[in-house]
Amino acid sequence: MTASASNAQTLPITVTVNGRAYELALEPRKLLADVLRQDLGLTGLNIGCAHGVCGSCTILLDGETVRSCTLFGVQADGAEITTIEGVAPSFEELHPVQEAFWAQQGLQCGYCTPGMVLRTIELLRENPDPTREQAREAIASNLCRCTGYQFIVDAVIDAAARLRSAAQQEEPDESRS
Amino acid sequence: MSRGAEIPKIQAPRDLKWIGRSTRRVEDPKYLRGLGRYVADLEFPGMLHAAIVRSPHPHARILGIDAEAARQIPGVVAVVTGAEAAELVDPLPDSGPAPDRHVFRVLALDKVRYVGEGVALVIAESRYIAEDARDYVDVDYEPLDPIVDPIAAGQDTSNLVHDALGSNVAYDRTFTFGDVERHFAEADIVVRDRLHWRRGAAMPLDNGGAVGIYDPATGELTIHANSISMTWFAFALAATLRIPSNKFDVISYASGGSFGARFCNWRVLVTAGLASKLTGRPVKYSEDRLDHITNGDQHASDRYYDVELALTRDGIFRSLKTDVIDDYGAYCHLGVGTHGNAMAQVTGAYRIESTVYRVRAVLTNKTQQGAYRGFGAEVANWAIERLVDKAARQLDIDPAEIRRKNFIQPEQFPYHIPTGNMYDSGDYERVLDHALELFGYDHWRAEQARMRADGRRVGIGLVSCQERSVYSATEFWFWYDDPAVQTTSTPEGVKLTADALGNLTVTLHSTPFWGNSSDTMAAMLVAEEFDVDPATVGIEYHGTKGGLPAAGPGGSRLTVMYAGAIRGAATKIKDKARRIAAQQFEADPEDVEWVDGGFQVRGTPDVRKEFGEIAMAAHLFATELPEGLQSGLEASHVYDHPYTTMPSKDRTDLGVFYPCMGHACHIAMVEVDVETGGVKVLRYAAVHDAGTMVNPRSLEGQIIGGTAQGIATALLEELVYDDQGQLLSSSFTDFLMPTAMEVPELDIGHEETPSPITEYGIKGGGEAGRMMAPGAMSAAIDDALVDYGIHVAELPATPERIVRWIGEAGGGAGSAPR
Amino acid sequence: MKPAAFEYHRVGTTAEAVAVLDQLGEDGRVLAGGQSLVPLMNFRLAQPEHLVDINGVGELGYVRHDDGMLALGATARQAHVAAAEPARSDVPLLVEALGFVAHPPIRHRGTVVGSIAHADPAAELPSVAVACHASLTLTSRAGSRDVAAEDFFLGPFETLLAPGELVTEVRFPPSAPGAGWAFVEFARRHGDFAIAGAAVTLALDGDRVADASIVLCAVGPRPLRADRAEALLLGQAPDAELIAEAAERAVADLAPGADIHGGTEYRIGVARVQVRRAITLALERANGGDRR
């Protein structure tokens, strides 16, 4: 066993998180979840199980959802990461997916919520008009202990409608031509 | 209302502005942004991290601990052994039957009693280093024979979990209510069942956590924790930590779920507190998943029942016998309170004239029990509903109809069940009819027949169950003939402040948010009183130090208690404001009325002051205040339990201790794959009556979430020990919490029979779903497998067990449809 | 649940990877997707001294046709493979099985080769590799060797891979035109490892079975080929009875270990059902049902 703080190897990385570039020196064993939470203060993601099952630590890594508890921080070198803190467009506005979760009460304790919101964003990018069953299967990657999932499914469906309607408003002429 | 007073008639809620409306929750934006803070997120300058060295043995003597190598690791600040901890802190608060003979400590002292029990504590600069050092703590164990089977353990007097107790049975008592023997003798039919409800756990996604901050300069100890109910018990925790109670502060933090798991989780707080007291630096102890599952004091009921129902040949229930052995694990720090919850509603929704209840609490080498949504009453619900279903089948009566025959009738409320507890109000037949309609019972019974004709094993099951809410303190001690203290207080205090502009802040005591919508409930209740938007109400949490008496959440009491406390505080503020307004109007306060957010003189609505104007006067213009009034506009109010009566000396009457009685009917339709034992829920409907609803959408969220947990209890979740006492389900890959694919869509309906004893008629509803679903699922599986004569008597009904039951019924794979 | 310290080696090319692995010998452990390894490290059930991270080896990220085969490089992610046209058209059994591998966020990181190399007997992909007669390329500093998936798995988490070697590629022969396939499993929870599963390919000549491959998953120390069941089907026009008999043969010698989700007998029973259902589905597809 090679365990001690003093002789630990550290490696420099550069990583972009929520649009901002960081240079960090990391002990290789430090989990990406801990790097984001401790080194960058992004505590929105949560470590519920630390063995890749619950999904509370979900982030977008280069645009795809991953569990940050099963990655080492050093592996994020050169990556672009979005955490839940990077989702809302401003302090005043929420992202349509967040709005939908709020409107539908798609959360209770909020612990799984960052992961659920990020999974929903990803799903709706791939499938803008999912059925309830598709929504269920998509969020089945993440555990929620509070809601029984039904209002999360409601939120996904609501979010899909909001995003479609926003997309239509943005490109009204194109859709007609 | 004074305790024990006459019960008033039901008052329908007044014309309400906010109560009853599904409004967005005020808590949500910060959690949606990832900016809600859980205790694991807290950082303090110089903070250290603790990790616990856990026992790999279920039962072993600790011969010695060598921590020198661990102490030498750079970054390690201290290692505390169990023996050293016993010098620093006293045993943890313990409501068990004999706390001096089953001593509950933060770290094991001479012997370990379950896999995962802490034997030493490592405090280091990071959790990584603490875990490194943990591997270097050398513990010399002498393994002892594990005590695993509670039935055998109860007989054994040679191999004991706690030698000082002289037995593995920590508690054994029989309570008899009414003339049980006569009713059984007179019965035409006695239906018997032997049931086993296996060990589960609340298992919130967030683990327990605390940061202890000891100030050597003042001797004060502050603990930030995601625990609940702490104001009430803080003095006991202070005593454990040897800190004067007025130099001790527990500050509540939001928890990512609780469902009971944050109730009295002393170990976490004491671990952080003692570590900080020892090092003089902030110390965080955050359970990880393994800590929580193995050493979190939060396993749930693990019961073996023998139950009997006496009834007439017409299907009328007469009497109920319950004999239950509960495997509490190595300690029982909450006593047998989970059986008090059961006895609050043991006879269910039915007119049953008498009952007897024997409980044996057995100690074994397993993690001890804590609280889980239902607090043991959900198990009793399952037991009686299993009996009722068995009776229905035996008498060939439709399960809905046998229930209907036996319901307590609306005009019989308030109704005292044989144990002495009172049900305040209800209309069970209305709930049943609503549920049958919502489910489409007749239609789906016809569909079921069609599907069965196609060879599909489809079943429908139904239960009508109680949800007791708003407990009172008598249930902590009526177990004992000579209890040390006979407490009767379960208060909830709030402070309400109107600032100079009239903006309102409500200060809650001892209650963190854990998904229970506590902030929204408080904000809506304040909004109702002051005609403001709930989103404008400020919410803050007070630490235990200098706090008002508050028992916190538990037993589905919070919304009811908030309603009483906020109503009380609001009345005080409005009374003062009214006097100020009257002075300004030069009117008699009696003639000044509150209308839509302001005061006006009765009959002359143009003579009016907005609440903000009065608040300004109250804060800034002392000379304009009526004689005897001081500046400011705030009030505290402590609301006590709305209706409690004392138990009789001989305990043939436990008194009223859980009176706000909710009710629900759940109907499930399932399909069983007889070859794999897999169960799929095809359809699920639930109608609930929790009295007046405050926020229907939030209540539905609780019901659906609770039902999902109940379905998981029925099918998936189990903490499994092998016969050597090893815990085999210590990860999320083996403790199977359901994903969205295992939980069905639910149809939810509501009835509202207001409580006559609470403000607005509110009853608790937070635990309800979980209290019904296991019974409904069991009944549906029975029905699907009716050809095999299966009666589900053991939960969870795992696929393997279902296949085994079918095989035992002579329906092995050979007889299965191909 | 924090991993023990290790030395981290980030490599950018296959040559670099095998050079480092060669140097480290027994002490070196490959980090690919990490979806199995890192949880074990968090539990400290695995405490490798050295991790060789191959995620930066861009040249191994491919999913391509190569000499008539579907070739997947060591860092090709499961999600990428499942969505890639060469895989969807050539090896539908693999794509179907990938749908059972945990959940999308896991598949975004996890690699097909990594799952095969990890050799968890409960995992889906080793069985698929065997069922499809896939072959693996094992590369070391000294060179490369190809081994059949059939020979690669020795036991739970044990393979032919020698210290210093890296599995650089897996190659799947394309599904024969008109052949049927099925991956079927029973798990207690969506995305979990199976109680038992079966991977089947069936080629027909008219209504007769010309070729059958039946491999069981999660019921033995490694993927188990049901050769007696295959032999029974060959040359036959299977009906329900024959399929049931094949399923019976497939489980005749099974002795799966017990865990809390299923004992030996139960797992055998579930395996029998999975084989039967997989053969039935594969046959349906071979007969023209559900063609992609």
Side-chain angles (χ1 to χ4, degrees):
Chain A
M1 197 176 314
T2 53
S4 81
S6 57
N7 66 1
Q9 177 194 16
T10 60
L11 287 174
I13 71 159
T14 59
V15 60
T16 303
V17 182
N18 300 332
R20 192 170 151 200
Y22 295 88
E23 292 187 5
L24 302 168
L26 299 175
E27 194 187 352
R29 66 161 160 173
K30 194 164 194 180
L31 298 170
L32 178 57
D34 282 331
V35 171
L36 293 167
R37 287 171 51 78
Q38 295 167 10
D39 297 52
L40 303 187
L42 297 169
T43 55
L45 68 92
N46 298 301
I47 303 179
C49 73
H51 53 282
V53 180
C54 77
S56 305
C57 63
T58 301
I59 58 168
L60 291 173
L61 179 79
D62 294 327
E64 293 183 319
T65 53
V66 298
R67 321 277 212 218
S68 61
C69 77
T70 58
L71 283 158
F72 298 107
V74 289
Q75 294 184 271
D77 191 23
E80 285 207 24
I81 288 172
T82 303
T83 68
I84 188 64
E85 291 91 339
V87 167
S90 71
F91 293 153
E92 289 73 36
E93 270 181 292
L94 294 172
H95 185 282
V97 171
Q98 293 168 317
E99 278 287 347
F101 271 73
W102 192 12
Q104 299 296 334
Q105 299 198 17
L107 67 159
Q108 286 179 23
C109 79
Y111 197 84
C112 75
T113 307
M116 289 292 184
V117 167
L118 291 169
R119 274 295 289 149
T120 303
I121 288 172
E122 181 174 56
L123 167 71
L124 298 181
R125 208 167 52 208
E126 295 164 359
N127 178 0
D129 192 8
T131 63
R132 290 185 73 84
E133 191 59 22
Q134 288 168 333
R136 257 182 198 279
E137 186 163 4
I139 61 161
S141 56
N142 292 40
L143 294 177
C144 169
R145 190 56 162 165
C146 295
T147 63
Y149 303 104
Q150 190 157 322
F151 290 178
I152 297 180
V153 175
D154 289 350
V156 174
I157 300 301
D158 183 354
R162 287 168 193 260
L163 286 168
R164 286 198 308 273
S165 131
Q168 269 173 12
Q169 278 167 17
E170 269 173 33
E171 304 169 37
D173 297 330
E174 247 172 79
S175 62
R176 280 190 208 109
S177 59
Chain B
M1 178 187 309
S2 63
R3 284 159 294 281
E6 194 182 328
I7 310 295
K9 291 271 177 280
I10 293 177
Q11 302 267 318
R14 300 168 295 155
D15 185 21
L16 300 174
K17 289 195 164 125
W18 291 101
I19 292 174
R21 277 178 57 181
S22 291
T23 55
R24 290 182 180 214
R25 301 195 320 160
V26 300
E27 295 91 341
D28 288 351
K30 64 176 183 274
Y31 294 103
L32 287 163
R33 288 177 182 271
L35 300 176
R37 289 277 179 273
Y38 304 100
V39 73
D41 303 342
L42 297 184
E43 291 284 343
F44 294 91
M47 188 171 78
L48 300 170
H49 299 262
I52 289 177
V53 182
R54 297 180 304 255
S55 168
H57 299 286
H59 195 194
R61 230 175 284 290
I62 301 170
L63 301 179
I65 300 178
D66 181 355
E68 271 325 296
R71 289 189 173 106
Q72 297 311 314
I73 291 176
V76 172
V77 174
V79 180
V80 184
T81 65
E84 289 160 348
E87 299 292 315
L88 294 168
V89 295
D90 287 318
L92 305 180
D94 189 344
S95 314
D100 56 334
R101 286 180 289 143
H102 45 69
V103 184
F104 175 31
R105 295 181 184 279
V106 66
L107 294 172
L109 187 52
D110 300 317
K111 163 166 134 158
V112 290
R113 295 183 170 85
Y114 57 91
V115 170
E117 184 166 18
V119 295
L121 178 66
V122 181
I123 307 161
E125 297 289 345
S126 80
R127 176 76 186 218
Y128 287 82
I129 297 170
E131 293 191 22
D132 292 342
R134 172 161 72 185
D135 294 342
Y136 285 88
V137 176
D138 186 15
V139 185
D140 188 9
Y141 294 103
E142 179 197 340
L144 302 168
D145 284 342
I147 300 163
V148 183
D149 173 25
I151 312 294
Q155 316 290 327
D156 195 343
T157 51
S158 57
N159 188 18
L160 299 176
V161 178
H162 293 273
D163 293 327
L165 202 55
S167 165
N168 289 320
V169 181
Y171 184 87
D172 180 358
R173 182 159 179 170
T174 302
F175 295 84
T176 305
F177 309 101
D179 201 348
V180 176
E181 289 315 318
R182 181 170 69 83
H183 294 139
F184 266 81
E186 289 170 4
D188 300 319
I189 297 158
V190 174
V191 177
R192 295 184 176 82
D193 219 343
R194 174 162 280 194
L195 303 166
H196 186 189
W197 174 285
R198 290 170 176 271
R199 183 171 285 246
M203 208 63 75
L205 289 186
D206 194 7
N207 290 301
V211 180
I213 306 177
Y214 181 68
D215 183 343
T218 61
E220 297 204 10
L221 176 62
T222 303
I223 299 181
H224 299 263
N226 59 7
S227 301
I228 62 175
S229 308
M230 282 304 169
T231 308
W232 208 22
F233 299 126
F235 70 93
L237 201 58
T240 291
L241 286 157
R242 299 181 188 162
I243 299 280
S245 59
N246 63 346
K247 293 198 165 196
F248 182 68
D249 197 8
V250 179
I251 296 175
S252 289
Y253 256 81
S255 180
S258 169
F259 324 108
R262 295 291 108 83
F263 185 72
C264 297
N265 60 339
W266 309 117
R267 185 186 303 279
V268 174
L269 286 84
V270 171
T271 300
L274 96 84
S276 182
K277 222 181 139 190
L278 181 72
T279 59
R281 289 168 64 178
V283 181
K284 181 189 283 184
Y285 174 58
S286 246
E287 289 176 336
D288 61 26
R289 187 51 56 187
L290 211 43
D291 289 319
H292 182 70
I293 296 182
T294 62
N295 194 30
D297 306 307
Q298 297 298 338
H299 289 194
S301 296
D302 187 350
R303 295 185 183 175
Y304 299 76
Y305 278 91
D306 278 301
V307 280
E308 299 178 45
L309 181 66
L311 60 172
T312 69
R313 67 177 57 82
D314 302 332
I316 302 299
F317 307 159
R318 298 293 310 277
S319 185
L320 173 71
K321 291 184 183 176
T322 305
D323 185 346
V324 54
I325 292 174
D326 204 336
D327 180 351
Y328 271 88
Y331 304 88
C332 53
H333 77 117
L334 299 178
V336 289
T338 51
H339 291 276
N341 277 250
M343 281 199 277
Q345 55 180 49
V346 66
T347 44
Y350 313 113
R351 297 182 308 266
I352 292 178
E353 295 162 71
S354 61
T355 194
V356 58
Y357 196 100
R358 181 184 187 193
V359 52
R360 276 171 283 179
V362 179
L363 302 185
T364 59
N365 291 129
K366 297 171 192 164
T367 300
Q368 72 174 325
Q369 290 187 17
Y372 181 22
R373 210 172 197 170
F375 204 64
E378 80 284 19
V379 198
N381 276 1
W382 179 66
I384 188 169
E385 294 299 294
R386 290 282 69 207
L387 272 176
V388 168
D389 280 323
K390 209 169 186 180
R393 189 181 283 187
Q394 207 164 315
L395 293 167
D396 197 23
I397 303 177
D398 183 88
E401 294 317 306
I402 196 168
R403 288 171 168 86
R404 193 188 299 278
K405 267 174 188 278
N406 287 282
F407 279 151
I408 299 161
Q409 295 300 303
E411 65 277 10
Q412 291 181 292
F413 294 98
Y415 184 89
H416 287 78
I417 67 167
T419 64
N421 192 38
M422 184 192 82
Y423 298 175
D424 56 351
S425 65
D427 188 340
Y428 304 151
E429 195 160 6
R430 202 166 81 205
V431 172
L432 174 66
D433 287 335
H434 187 164
L436 293 172
E437 190 196 336
L438 183 68
F439 182 83
Y441 190 71
D442 294 337
H443 170 76
W444 286 102
R445 279 290 185 202
E447 281 297 297
Q448 178 194 17
R450 193 182 55 74
M451 292 157 109
R452 276 185 177 163
D454 291 343
R456 296 174 65 180
R457 307 290 180 174
V458 175
I460 294 173
L462 168 155
V463 292
S464 287
C465 296
Q466 306 299 84
E467 191 210 343
R468 83 288 169 277
S469 69
V470 193
Y471 67 88
S472 81
T474 56
E475 73 155 338
F476 298 140
W477 51 263
F478 61 45
W479 306 102
Y480 313 115
D481 285 327
D482 295 302
V485 282
Q486 301 192 7
T487 53
T488 52
S489 296
T490 37
E492 196 65 34
V494 304
K495 182 183 169 197
L496 198 53
T497 308
D499 66 18
L501 298 177
N503 286 322
L504 293 152
T505 297
V506 59
T507 305
L508 307 174
H509 292 261
S510 87
T511 311
F513 165 83
W514 81 78
N516 48 347
S517 314
S518 53
D519 297 18
T520 297
M521 292 302 116
M524 289 180 74
L525 290 158
V526 171
E528 190 64 50
E529 298 295 341
F530 289 94
D531 303 320
V532 296
D533 187 321
T536 68
V537 177
I539 308 280
E540 63 171 26
Y541 292 108
H542 200 290
T544 62
K545 187 180 162 190
L548 296 172
S556 298
R557 70 189 287 279
L558 202 63
T559 304
V560 166
M561 299 305 288
Y562 277 177
I566 287 169
R567 192 85 204 273
T571 302
K572 290 176 188 173
I573 285 180
K574 280 177 163 174
D575 285 349
K576 180 174 180 180
R578 178 180 288 105
R579 288 180 61 193
I580 297 168
Q583 166 134 326
Q584 296 191 3
F585 296 150
E586 298 181 1
D588 186 328
E590 297 285 311
D591 294 332
V592 174
E593 60 180 355
W594 175 270
V595 178
D596 201 20
F599 290 103
Q600 56 197 48
V601 177
R602 208 180 307 274
T604 47
D606 49 327
V607 182
R608 179 178 168 89
K609 292 274 184 188
E610 298 305 320
F611 181 63
E613 297 175 79
I614 304 298
M616 182 70 79
H619 278 273
L620 300 183
F621 302 101
T623 55
E624 293 176 18
L625 298 182
E627 182 125 357
L629 290 190
Q630 288 80 43
S631 293
L633 197 53
E634 84 293 319
S636 294
H637 190 79
V638 178
Y639 182 69
D640 274 306
H641 187 269
Y643 191 83
T644 302
T645 64
M646 295 295 271
S648 69
K649 192 81 190 146
D650 62 2
R651 305 296 190 258
T652 57
D653 174 358
L654 300 177
V656 178
F657 60 99
Y658 237 137
C660 303
M661 192 55 64
H663 179 80
C665 178
H666 280 219
I667 311 179
M669 182 172 186
V670 306
E671 179 163 12
V672 181
D673 179 340
V674 296
E675 292 184 296
T676 61
V679 175
K680 184 171 171 51
V681 185
L682 302 179
R683 189 166 171 73
Y684 202 106
V687 174
H688 281 246
D689 182 352
T692 304
M693 292 188 283
V694 178
N695 186 326
R697 182 78 176 174
S698 300
L699 178 65
E700 279 179 21
Q702 295 292 319
I703 291 167
I704 295 169
T707 301
Q709 290 178 340
I711 291 171
T713 295
L715 300 179
L716 288 165
E717 293 171 6
E718 182 178 352
L719 289 164
V720 182
Y721 283 87
D722 70 11
D723 59 6
Q724 293 305 302
Q726 286 294 331
L727 180 58
L728 302 181
S729 42
S730 51
S731 74
F732 278 1
T733 45
D734 286 318
F735 184 80
L736 301 181
M737 296 200 293
T739 76
M741 296 299 278
E742 284 74 49
V743 177
E745 296 273 330
L746 270 60
D747 284 325
I748 303 289
H750 301 285
E751 292 291 336
E752 290 181 286
T753 52
S755 170
I757 57 174
T758 68
E759 293 295 344
Y760 303 109
I762 301 166
K763 298 178 183 179
E767 295 166 276
R770 185 166 180 268
M771 303 183 77
M772 293 82 199
M777 292 295 297
S778 300
I781 293 168
D782 285 0
D783 192 40
L785 300 176
V786 67
D787 293 346
Y788 302 102
I790 302 290
H791 172 76
V792 173
E794 179 182 2
L795 291 184
T798 62
E800 182 175 28
R801 288 186 186 124
I802 287 175
V803 167
R804 195 182 68 226
W805 298 334
I806 292 170
E808 286 165 359
S815 70
R818 297 256 166 179
Chain C
M1 291 178 64
K2 306 295 184 192
F6 55 83
E7 202 166 315
Y8 178 75
H9 307 266
R10 184 188 291 141
V11 294
T13 64
T14 309
E16 204 185 331
V18 295
V20 173
L21 286 169
D22 185 69
Q23 197 185 345
L24 295 172
E26 298 271 3
D27 295 335
R29 183 120 190 214
V30 174
L31 174 63
Q35 300 301 290
S36 301
L37 178 59
V38 181
L40 290 172
M41 291 176 68
N42 292 352
F43 278 114
R44 297 202 178 202
L45 295 171
Q47 299 195 16
E49 301 253 341
H50 296 267
L51 277 191
V52 182
D53 183 354
I54 62 167
N55 284 282
V57 183
E59 65 194 13
L60 291 179
Y62 55 85
V63 179
R64 67 189 180 209
H65 289 292
D66 189 0
D67 202 13
M69 307 278 268
L70 173 72
L72 311 178
T75 59
R77 312 273 182 210
Q78 291 157 1
H80 178 199
V81 173
E85 189 42 45
R88 302 186 73 82
S89 55
D90 286 8
V91 194
L93 178 65
L94 172 65
V95 173
E96 180 158 275
L98 281 166
F100 289 93
V101 178
H103 303 280
I106 304 284
R107 302 199 287 265
H108 288 149
R109 286 302 295 180
T111 64
V112 172
V113 166
S115 173
I116 292 170
H118 187 58
D120 187 331
E124 290 82 1
L125 300 185
S127 297
V128 172
V130 173
C132 292
H133 303 288
S135 64
L136 304 168
T137 302
L138 281 44
T139 304
S140 69
R141 210 168 165 187
S144 287
R145 56 179 176 141
D146 284 358
V147 300
E150 191 100 39
D151 303 325
F152 179 69
F153 302 101
L154 302 178
F157 310 102
E158 276 184 66
T159 68
L160 282 179
L161 196 70
E165 272 187 319
L166 174 69
V167 184
T168 45
E169 183 181 90
V170 58
R171 277 180 314 287
F172 289 86
S175 184
W181 75 93
F183 188 89
V184 171
E185 70 172 41
F186 177 71
R188 290 190 62 194
R189 185 172 61 171
H190 180 75
D192 281 2
F193 282 136
I195 300 280
V200 171
T201 64
L202 273 186
L204 297 182
D205 181 2
D207 61 352
R208 306 273 157 182
V209 174
D211 189 27
S213 180
I214 303 171
V215 177
L216 282 71
C217 151
V219 285
R222 55 195 167 78
L224 298 177
R225 178 172 295 284
D227 39 17
R228 292 178 55 212
E230 293 169 355
L232 181 74
L233 295 179
L234 275 182
Q236 305 291 316
D239 58 8
E241 202 176 327
L242 189 74
I243 292 172
E245 175 58 24
E248 204 58 59
R249 285 196 184 190
V251 302
D253 299 322
L254 289 186
D259 71 9
I260 62 171
H261 307 299
T264 298
E265 280 309 304
Y266 173 67
R267 277 178 190 275
I268 291 171
V270 174
R272 180 191 297 115
V273 178
Q274 304 313 305
V275 172
R276 200 190 71 227
R277 291 177 182 174
I279 295 173
T280 307
L281 178 56
L283 187 66
E284 256 176 54
R285 284 169 168 163
N287 281 323
D290 187 17
R291 272 195 202 287
R292 302 213 168 193

